[in-house]
Amino acid sequence: MEVVKTIAELKKIVKKVKQDGKTIGLVPTMGYLHEGHMALATEARKENDFVIMSFFVNPTQFGPNEDYESYPRDLERDKKIAESVGVDVIFAPSVEEMYPTDGGIRIHAGRQATILCGASRPGHFDGVLQVVTKLFHLAEPTRAYFGQKDAQQAAIISTLVRDFNFPLEIRTVPIVREEDGLAKSSRNVYLSPAERKEAPAIYRGLKRAKEEYLLSKNAEKTIQVAKDYILSNTSGRIDYIELLSYPDLQQVDEKTDQFVLAAAVFIGKTRLIDNIIFTKEGETENV
Ligand code: PAF
């Protein structure tokens, strides 16, 4: 496995891989890998001849009061994990390498970014689209891999790829969970032992709410079930709980055939997100 830090080095490798007629799987990450990232890389390994994983804590997707500075970073640890899942090249650029100039041009993420996490993190998805656009141009992937835990992000990136005709396929990989149901996340390290105990109630609340929706088809009641469960089983503060169509993220109606039930909850100071995607028959990959 090779580790490259510059765009020039990455482009040289990509050129050679393309000349050899090989497919490329790209796994964009902000590092501090957990089993969720490993699942993305494993899927990329299965489906492509060559796997590139990027590590870049992207400053443009963090708000002024968010955890950009304190976001966990450990390249040496991440290298070992990436190697163990068969990554061929790590791309770990500096901020100066990725953003040497600022001409002020931004990509505006649009309607899908005004709700859910976008409502409380203005500009976040613009920053995500800026960095993935660069990564798509640099790595020229055949397929790019994103986790379902960030379901809104995967939906918005799919819209970017569709609307701007990027020649690649977006693959969304199911959420990887701890044994007690908590979705794996780099931010779980922020939780105190007591908060860590409470946190799985988010997923349990979502599961109960999904069952409610399948019975009553009542979106308001569904959201209330999740809220009541989470508030009575944690000391948390709810940022949002929403039931929307997926991947277009519109209000649900009788024609909706795929749903996302999504939550963002502050447990102490840590904002955790989770979701369940399910069909109107109740099928989901994450029960
Ligand atoms: O999901 C993430 O880790 C980031 O938002 C991504 C896609 C790597 C862009 O910085």
Side-chain angles (χ1 to χ4, degrees), residues 71-116:
Y71 196 85
R73 294 158 168 91
D74 191 342
L75 184 58
E76 288 315 307
R77 170 187 171 275
D78 285 345
K79 275 189 209 167
K80 289 188 197 121
I81 299 175
E83 186 147 40
S84 76
V85 284
V87 168
D88 294 298
V89 166
I90 286 177
F91 177 51
S94 64
V95 174
E96 296 70 34
E97 182 69 11
M98 281 300 267
Y99 301 127
T101 56
D102 181 4
I105 294 173
R106 292 286 179 274
I107 302 174
H108 181 51
R111 181 194 59 80
Q112 283 174 304
T114 58
I115 49 172
L116 304 175

Side-chain angles (χ1 to χ4, degrees), residues 40-169:
L40 302 182
T42 302
E43 207 54 29
R45 184 67 284 164
K46 270 194 244 155
E47 297 179 347
N48 302 276
D49 302 319
F50 196 86
V51 177
I52 301 174
M53 185 177 249
S54 62
F55 296 149
F56 181 62
V57 184
N58 173 37
T60 69
Q61 69 187 73
F62 286 79
N65 299 316
E66 293 183 351
D67 56 347
Y68 172 68
E69 296 297 342
S70 61
Y71 196 85
R73 294 158 168 91
D74 191 342
L75 184 58
E76 288 315 307
R77 170 187 171 275
D78 285 345
K79 275 189 209 167
K80 289 188 197 121
I81 299 175
E83 186 147 40
S84 76
V85 284
V87 168
D88 294 298
V89 166
I90 286 177
F91 177 51
S94 64
V95 174
E96 296 70 34
E97 182 69 11
M98 281 300 267
Y99 301 127
T101 56
D102 181 4
I105 294 173
R106 292 286 179 274
I107 302 174
H108 181 51
R111 181 194 59 80
Q112 283 174 304
T114 58
I115 49 172
L116 304 175
C117 290
S120 52
R121 303 187 71 189
H124 167 68
F125 290 110
D126 297 355
V128 170
L129 294 188
Q130 178 182 23
V131 77
V132 298
T133 296
K134 287 198 71 134
L135 291 169
F136 291 165
H137 286 312
L138 299 174
E140 299 181 45
T142 319
R143 300 176 188 87
Y145 294 78
F146 296 90
Q148 186 206 306
K149 187 165 89 62
D150 297 298
Q152 183 179 18
Q153 169 172 278
I156 293 171
I157 293 172
S158 297
T159 302
L160 172 84
V161 165
R162 184 197 65 199
D163 288 1
F164 287 82
N165 308 91
F166 280 82
L168 59 99
E169 191 190 330

Side-chain angles (χ1 to χ4, degrees), residues 106-278:
R106 292 286 179 274
I107 302 174
H108 181 51
R111 181 194 59 80
Q112 283 174 304
T114 58
I115 49 172
L116 304 175
C117 290
S120 52
R121 303 187 71 189
H124 167 68
F125 290 110
D126 297 355
V128 170
L129 294 188
Q130 178 182 23
V131 77
V132 298
T133 296
K134 287 198 71 134
L135 291 169
F136 291 165
H137 286 312
L138 299 174
E140 299 181 45
T142 319
R143 300 176 188 87
Y145 294 78
F146 296 90
Q148 186 206 306
K149 187 165 89 62
D150 297 298
Q152 183 179 18
Q153 169 172 278
I156 293 171
I157 293 172
S158 297
T159 302
L160 172 84
V161 165
R162 184 197 65 199
D163 288 1
F164 287 82
N165 308 91
F166 280 82
L168 59 99
E169 191 190 330
I170 296 298
R171 306 277 287 114
T172 307
V173 177
I175 298 176
V176 180
R177 297 183 180 280
E178 303 286 354
E179 266 181 25
D180 58 11
L182 176 65
K184 301 250 186 193
S185 162
S186 305
R187 290 190 170 100
N188 291 350
V189 294
Y190 299 154
L191 298 169
S192 71
E195 290 166 352
R196 173 63 189 80
K197 263 196 183 159
E198 290 183 4
I202 301 172
Y203 181 48
R204 290 201 303 273
L206 290 179
K207 281 200 292 188
R208 284 189 178 213
K210 177 195 144 192
E211 294 312 317
E212 170 61 40
Y213 188 74
L214 294 175
L215 282 175
S216 69
K217 303 285 182 223
N218 181 326
E220 254 175 58
K221 215 167 149 194
T222 299
I223 291 166
Q224 201 54 50
V225 164
K227 282 188 178 163
D228 290 347
Y229 186 87
I230 292 167
L231 290 178
S232 52
N233 287 281
T234 72
S235 55
R237 177 168 64 79
I238 291 172
D239 181 2
Y240 65 73
I241 294 181
E242 300 253 18
L243 178 71
L244 298 170
S245 63
Y246 196 82
D248 47 341
L249 307 179
Q250 305 269 19
Q251 291 306 311
V252 302
D253 60 28
E254 63 289 347
K255 293 200 199 88
T256 307
D257 44 35
Q258 186 161 254
F259 302 81
V260 63
L261 183 54
V265 180
F266 282 93
I267 303 284
K269 287 201 176 106
T270 309
R271 185 174 175 280
L272 298 177
I273 58 169
D274 201 347
N275 68 76
I276 300 179
I277 293 178
F278 60 98

